Amino acid sequence: MYEGAIQDLIDELGRLPGIGPKSAQRLAFHVLSADPIDVRRLAASLVKVKEVVKFCTICFNVAEDDKCRICRDPRRSDEILCVVEEPKDVVAIERTNEFRGRYHVLGGAINPLEGVGPDNLRVRELMQRLADGEVKELILATDPNTEGEATATYIALLVKPMGITVSRLASGLPVGGDLEYADEITLGRAFEGRRTI
Amino acid sequence: MYVRRLELVDVRSYARVGVDLQPGPNVLVGPNGVGKTNLIEALGYVATLGSHRVATDAPLVRAGAGSAVIRCAIVHESRELLVELEIVPGRANRARLGRAPVRRARDILGALRLVLFAPEDLSLVRGDPAERRRYLDDLLVLRQPRFAAVRSDYERVLKQRNALLRSSYLTKRVTKTAGDLSTLEVWDQHLAEHGAVLLAARLALVDALAPHLSKAYDAVSAGEGAAAIAYQATVPEPTADAVLAALRASRPQEVERGVTLVGPHRDELALTLGPLPVKGYASHGESWSFALALRLAAYELLRADGIEPVLVLDDVFAELDTGRRERLATLIADAAQVLITCAVEADVPTRLSGIRYTVRPGEVVREQ
């Protein structure tokens, strides 16, 4: 145990996800030995992020205004909407530079074990967005795990009767990799989901 | 396939031990509590990444040591492969295949194919249906690794669905109004999809296994009683629609009780001897023989698939009468490799007079 401020800092850092006691200690001593200007900048950005960053009122992505950068962009298509779990999924899809539609961030996936139902997600807001009939295709890009698949099915059941095309991201082998390095489970699924060419 | 050499460092009672094994029968003799099963357990760990005796890794590491190492040289189609596994309780195991580290310990699965029969297997016959379902599912995964994913997906969906039913059940008890079941339909669909695949695979497996089982029991018992297995499903046929229909039919009770009542997780593998069920009717010797026949059937099925697994019989002969011992010996005489442990050497039929090892505290010595 250290005294006073340094132990406080170690305790606070240790509460962050993925940071154990040893890492917290290393980070704390790094901060202690760093230039005061750098430390002040770090502290300011920590405070600022809570003050300035809000959630977009349309898609619930992180934003600095009422609307996020993507929802403000007039060049994007309103006809195609991609549903994701978290803001970081938006960033991942944006990196592909393939998708020119808009997003909807649910804020998680249906997970009864953790008490998360559709009411805890932005499903109602999604339905309101779809109500005006402008969206023609909905892409469900939730995670390819049990909870993500369930969330995708749930939304698909709600949306299909509205006459909107609903699609789901494909899953299978990673591109650019070697077949021999794929594990049996991924390879087995890729076999199941094979297509004719 | 056979194990040419097994080396243990800090595993259970052994500080350090190395045993050179031979193809064909190998008999390990030693008094009770000397560490025969520890050797078998270590081999089993390499084959399944789990112990057949305990659920956690900590007991496998010798008291006072930080980690345990199991090293074994496996010969398959006249090629030798060295598998090394380091067990560190509370951390991920580290493994090497032919001196090269692998990314995940799971990658060594399949290097050693092993069918193990141990005294604990009596629970296959006497225990809950869950034991018999695990027997089927483990064999399924051993034959087709893809089913590991189907099995874990099914279990995950089932857990989520039960959590939903449970929370709705609790809401209902507290507030007297129906809980939120709006996503139940979704879980039903996914449970039905995975459940149908799992059910179809289990049915096909039982079909393939049944003749091997009857033959194995017949051989062990010399025709005393006809042994049979039958899969008893809670769903009439292995299609997603059938599972879905069954779920719909039992929904009122499910909501009432807060748990999923139909699906592969409630199925049973029925074991019968002649007209009677084994559980509750068969004698100790018959139950023992049936459990042995289940393992031998798995062994024969894998052999029929073209995989020649190593057969391990832990403390089996002491429980069988002389006739059954002799017949078992005949049955396994042509196996690629059989490892047999026993406390009394005279219990093992002379037909299996392969290589003998004397197990003493902390060491294994080959008899000349």
Side-chain angles (χ1 to χ4, degrees):
Chain A
M1 283 292 268
Y2 298 93
E3 287 178 18
I6 187 78
Q7 187 61 44
D8 290 346
L9 180 57
I10 292 173
D11 290 346
E12 287 304 320
L13 289 169
R15 288 167 58 192
L16 297 175
I19 306 286
K22 288 270 168 62
S23 304
Q25 190 176 311
R26 204 176 68 235
L27 290 170
F29 278 97
H30 174 82
V31 169
L32 194 60
S33 62
D35 190 338
I37 295 167
D38 289 340
V39 176
R40 209 158 285 138
R41 201 167 49 232
L42 173 65
S45 46
L46 282 176
V47 174
K48 196 176 164 198
V49 79
K50 282 304 279 183
E51 284 173 355
V52 174
V53 175
K54 294 178 278 199
F55 289 99
C56 171
T57 51
I58 297 174
C59 73
F60 301 96
N61 192 2
V62 285
E64 291 211 345
D65 273 312
D66 280 353
K67 285 184 186 180
C68 72
R69 189 174 45 79
I70 295 167
C71 289
R72 282 199 311 263
D73 191 340
R75 292 163 301 175
R76 285 187 169 253
S77 163
D78 285 320
E79 294 197 341
I80 179 160
L81 188 66
C82 180
V83 178
V84 295
E85 290 181 19
E86 305 288 349
K88 58 181 193 282
D89 301 327
V90 173
V91 177
I93 296 173
E94 279 302 287
R95 274 204 305 265
T96 67
N97 245 334
E98 289 291 333
F99 181 65
R100 302 303 298 161
R102 307 210 190 255
Y103 292 93
H104 189 85
V105 182
L106 291 171
I110 296 173
N111 190 337
L113 281 170
E114 287 175 11
V116 181
D119 291 346
N120 308 100
L121 305 172
R122 279 128 193 172
V123 174
R124 197 177 306 116
E125 290 85 346
L126 174 65
M127 299 316 285
Q128 282 162 6
R129 280 182 83 178
L130 297 177
D132 64 8
E134 200 169 343
V135 175
K136 298 281 180 281
E137 185 185 350
L138 193 68
I139 301 172
L140 298 171
T142 51
D143 289 344
N145 55 25
T146 304
E147 294 74 25
E149 293 291 351
T151 310
T153 311
Y154 179 75
I155 293 172
L157 285 174
L158 289 178
V159 173
K160 280 239 175 88
M162 304 166 79
I164 297 170
T165 309
V166 181
S167 57
R168 176 96 180 97
L169 291 192
S171 62
L173 292 171
V175 176
D178 284 333
L179 205 63
E180 58 168 309
Y181 290 124
D183 64 286
E184 308 86 340
I185 293 169
T186 308
L187 197 52
R189 285 194 177 156
F191 251 94
E192 266 187 317
R194 68 186 182 274
R195 56 197 163 80
T196 48
I197 53 169
Chain B
M1 178 180 291
Y2 71 95
V3 179
R4 192 188 57 72
R5 186 173 167 81
L6 174 66
E7 277 177 25
L8 308 181
V9 180
D10 292 330
V11 176
R12 290 250 189 204
S13 58
Y14 296 100
R16 187 170 207 111
V17 71
V19 197
D20 287 304
L21 299 163
Q22 308 294 324
N26 292 258
V27 183
L28 300 153
V29 188
N32 295 130
V34 83
K36 301 182 295 293
T37 301
N38 296 349
L39 296 167
I40 300 302
E41 183 185 31
L43 264 188
Y45 199 98
V46 172
T48 61
L49 291 183
S51 159
H52 72 284
R53 293 202 284 184
V54 289
T56 56
D57 288 346
L60 275 94
V61 179
R62 191 170 65 96
S67 67
V69 176
I70 306 170
R71 205 172 280 133
C72 70
I74 300 153
V75 179
H76 183 46
E77 288 169 353
S78 65
R79 281 175 170 277
E80 185 166 308
L81 181 64
L82 184 69
V83 181
E84 291 165 284
L85 189 66
E86 186 183 5
I87 302 167
V88 192
R91 295 240 301 273
N93 294 337
R94 277 194 292 258
R96 296 203 296 172
L97 265 184
R99 308 224 175 264
V102 294
R103 216 150 39 95
R104 295 158 307 176
R106 265 194 38 216
D107 292 342
I108 67 163
L109 289 176
L112 175 62
R113 305 273 187 164
L114 191 85
V115 173
L116 169 70
F117 179 72
E120 287 82 357
D121 285 337
L122 195 56
S123 65
L124 281 180
V125 175
R126 297 240 168 116
D128 296 335
E131 303 273 353
R132 291 177 283 282
R133 289 193 294 264
R134 189 175 321 125
Y135 161 79
L136 288 179
D137 289 347
D138 285 347
L139 187 54
L140 211 54
V141 172
L142 201 58
R143 292 178 79 203
Q144 285 164 283
R146 179 171 77 87
F147 284 104
V150 175
R151 182 186 188 178
S152 68
D153 281 349
Y154 182 80
E155 278 162 13
R156 183 79 190 160
V157 172
L158 180 65
K159 249 194 195 157
Q160 291 284 17
R161 189 176 188 272
N162 281 342
L164 182 67
L165 287 169
R166 181 104 199 118
S167 73
S168 129
Y169 165 80
L170 290 174
T171 316
K172 206 165 128 192
R173 273 191 46 184
V174 175
T175 65
K176 306 286 175 211
T177 56
D180 177 26
L181 285 172
S182 60
T183 60
L184 191 58
E185 189 65 25
V186 171
W187 295 112
D188 283 5
Q189 272 194 23
H190 285 250
L191 196 75
E193 274 167 34
H194 298 307
V197 177
L198 187 60
L199 180 56
R202 282 194 195 162
L203 288 170
L205 177 67
V206 172
D207 271 350
L209 204 57
H212 291 295
L213 174 97
S214 301
K215 232 165 75 190
Y217 189 86
D218 195 52
V220 174
S221 71
E224 282 174 45
I229 50 171
Y231 192 82
Q232 289 175 344
T234 47
V235 173
E237 55 176 311
T239 60
D241 287 342
V243 182
L244 215 48
L247 284 171
R248 293 231 168 86
S250 64
R251 184 177 280 191
Q253 291 108 287
E254 290 190 332
V255 172
E256 198 62 41
R257 291 175 53 185
V259 62
T260 303
L261 294 170
V262 293
H265 68 289
R266 302 285 282 209
D267 292 350
E268 164 73 301
L269 181 68
L271 315 177
T272 51
L273 210 46
L276 295 173
V278 172
K279 204 175 172 179
Y281 287 89
S283 73
H284 178 73
E286 285 172 329
S287 300
W288 188 268
S289 299
F290 207 111
L292 176 60
L294 283 171
R295 290 292 179 208
L296 289 174
Y299 177 71
E300 290 297 335
L301 183 65
L302 290 171
R303 270 178 117 181
D305 286 346
I307 306 162
E308 182 82 24
V310 173
L311 183 63
V312 178
L313 302 174
D314 187 16
D315 231 347
V316 169
F317 287 95
E319 295 274 352
L320 299 172
D321 61 40
T322 322
R324 288 183 189 222
R325 283 177 192 173
E326 288 298 332
R327 283 186 292 274
L328 176 58
T330 316
L331 198 66
I332 61 176
D334 67 332
Q337 187 176 44
V338 197
L339 307 181
I340 297 160
T341 71
C342 65
V344 183
E345 191 170 354
D347 285 349
V348 180
T350 45
R351 194 194 304 268
L352 294 174
S353 59
I355 320 297
R356 308 230 156 191
Y357 302 83
T358 304
V359 184
R360 284 197 280 267
E363 60 169 354
V364 182
V365 182
R366 183 170 167 185
E367 298 297 310
Q368 295 305 318

